[in-house]
Amino acid sequence: MTGHRLIRRLQRDPDSERRALIAGLRATPAAIPPKYFYDPLGCALYGAICALPEYYPTRTERAIFAAHRDEIAAAVGRGRQFVDLGAGDCGKAESWLPFVAPTRYVAVDIAEEAIGRALARLAVEFPEIEMVGVVTDFTAGLDLRAELAAAPATFFYPGSSIGNFTPAEARVFLGTIHAHCAAGADAPGGLLIGVDTKKDPARLDAAYDDALGVTAAFNRNVLNHVNRVLGSDFDPAAFAHRGFYAEAAGRIEMHLEAMAPQTVRIDGVPRAFAAGERIHTENSYKYTPSEFAALLGEAGFRGVRCWQDDAGDFAVFYAD
């Protein structure tokens, strides 16, 4: 059944998004939603971050998958639907398709072009698998009931992206996934998810503030994107990157800090930034394995299994 189809579910309100961005920048403290990181340059910089020696999550998750592939595949089972949340170029899911042999692969992402290209390629490589793309912003609410068949589904959420939610938000999101897993099938589905762990703060600091300054460039570039969206006049070079582990909160925080007093025009209105004033751009929560297993339990999952690297830097969970 070579071929693929795209289901466009993305409903955008540019005026509302613009108003929200302006309100965040005028607030005290100011904030920019992390989705504005990912313009074309931001995507390229993020790819470079994943290859940095300090940034362990990507390669460590990949190593856990490789070391425990058969065991994880046996837990997941074969012949299910495989739902890839935040699929991007579908590269992480592609490595699993021969092992879990899904009947359907459902790639879910906001980036229509990326998943369209990837599905066109995968449809040729795996003609026996039905290939479906769903273009939506699932972080604003996950509802795939209309797109899923009446068969068990495995949800795949790698890369520790769950860390971008607060723990309370994560609990709700995981509960929504569990509801999807439990609905519309004779056998329940499950969730395969990657989670970054709490560790030495110095290692976490280095992962988000690398020596080459790639993460700093990634963070500052969000201001270039904001300038294009709003017609504002931020000078990215006037802001310093601040990325650090806030141990009491259990999260990485990323900020842009004004290095000197300055005034920026935002939607035609001046907004003064004092020296040292910060714009919050991202959080990334970290969990001990027991903390995340408890979160999965609170979301309704049972039968939680966990695999880690020898150093305990990262954890992969399967729960049903």
Side-chain angles (χ1 to χ4, degrees):
M1 62 173 74
T2 302
H4 71 280
R5 61 191 176 96
L6 286 176
I7 300 169
R8 295 171 179 87
R9 289 271 307 277
L10 187 60
Q11 296 182 344
R12 275 186 160 153
D13 183 346
D15 291 338
S16 176
E17 291 181 7
R18 179 186 175 89
R19 288 193 298 269
L21 178 57
I22 291 169
L25 286 167
R26 289 180 177 164
T28 303
I32 299 171
K35 67 181 180 181
Y36 290 99
F37 281 134
Y38 298 102
D39 66 350
L41 178 56
C43 289
L45 287 167
Y46 179 72
I49 288 169
C50 292
L52 291 168
E54 297 98 330
Y55 194 78
Y56 59 85
T58 302
R59 64 175 178 272
T60 306
E61 181 182 58
R62 187 185 304 121
I64 295 170
F65 285 163
H68 301 282
R69 183 82 68 182
D70 292 342
E71 188 179 353
I72 295 172
V76 169
R78 296 172 66 86
R80 294 181 169 195
Q81 301 174 92
F82 199 70
V83 184
D84 187 4
L85 298 177
D89 66 0
C90 304
K92 289 185 177 181
E94 181 178 1
S95 67
W96 283 104
L97 298 183
F99 294 89
V100 299
T103 55
R104 302 174 82 229
Y105 171 58
V106 183
V108 186
D109 204 288
I110 198 170
E112 179 174 345
E113 290 186 9
I115 58 173
R117 287 193 302 268
L119 289 175
R121 176 178 55 80
L122 292 176
V124 175
E125 295 182 17
F126 300 94
E128 72 282 6
I129 301 174
E130 182 185 356
M131 296 286 173
V132 180
V134 181
V135 183
T136 187
D137 180 6
F138 62 84
T139 64
L142 179 68
D143 184 357
L144 300 175
R145 291 171 297 177
E147 286 72 39
L148 295 181
T154 296
F155 283 75
F156 181 51
Y157 197 33
S160 200
S161 296
I162 192 68
N164 295 134
F165 295 88
T166 68
E169 291 167 344
R171 186 180 301 109
V172 171
F173 184 66
L174 293 169
T176 303
I177 294 175
H178 179 263
H180 279 73
C181 291
D186 295 333
L191 169 65
L192 179 61
I193 186 170
V195 180
D196 197 7
T197 61
K198 293 178 177 177
K199 56 184 66 69
D200 177 8
R203 292 197 58 224
L204 285 163
D205 287 348
Y208 289 84
D209 193 6
D210 60 278
L212 285 177
V214 181
T215 310
F218 173 74
N219 199 12
R220 288 192 189 98
N221 181 63
V222 75
L223 297 178
N224 289 322
H225 193 184
V226 167
N227 283 343
R228 290 194 301 274
V229 172
L230 298 181
S232 52
D233 57 355
F234 281 100
D235 176 7
F239 286 81
H241 165 67
R242 300 287 183 246
F244 56 89
Y245 183 54
E247 192 166 8
R251 70 190 187 196
I252 286 286
E253 294 184 12
M254 294 226 308
H255 303 261
L256 291 165
E257 184 177 301
M259 293 188 288
Q262 56 196 279
T263 299
V264 179
R265 295 190 69 81
I266 299 170
D267 197 34
V269 178
R271 201 296 196 185
F273 288 90
E277 187 173 355
R278 292 177 172 178
I279 303 172
H280 181 226
T281 55
E282 186 177 44
N283 290 327
S284 181
Y285 283 85
K286 312 302 177 185
Y287 295 91
T288 66
S290 60
E291 286 173 339
F292 198 77
L295 198 61
L296 287 167
E298 292 167 9
F301 287 99
R302 299 293 180 265
V304 178
R305 280 155 279 188
C306 178
W307 297 266
Q308 288 193 268
D309 57 292
D310 291 342
D313 282 344
F314 200 88
V316 171
F317 291 84
Y318 180 73
D320 52 23

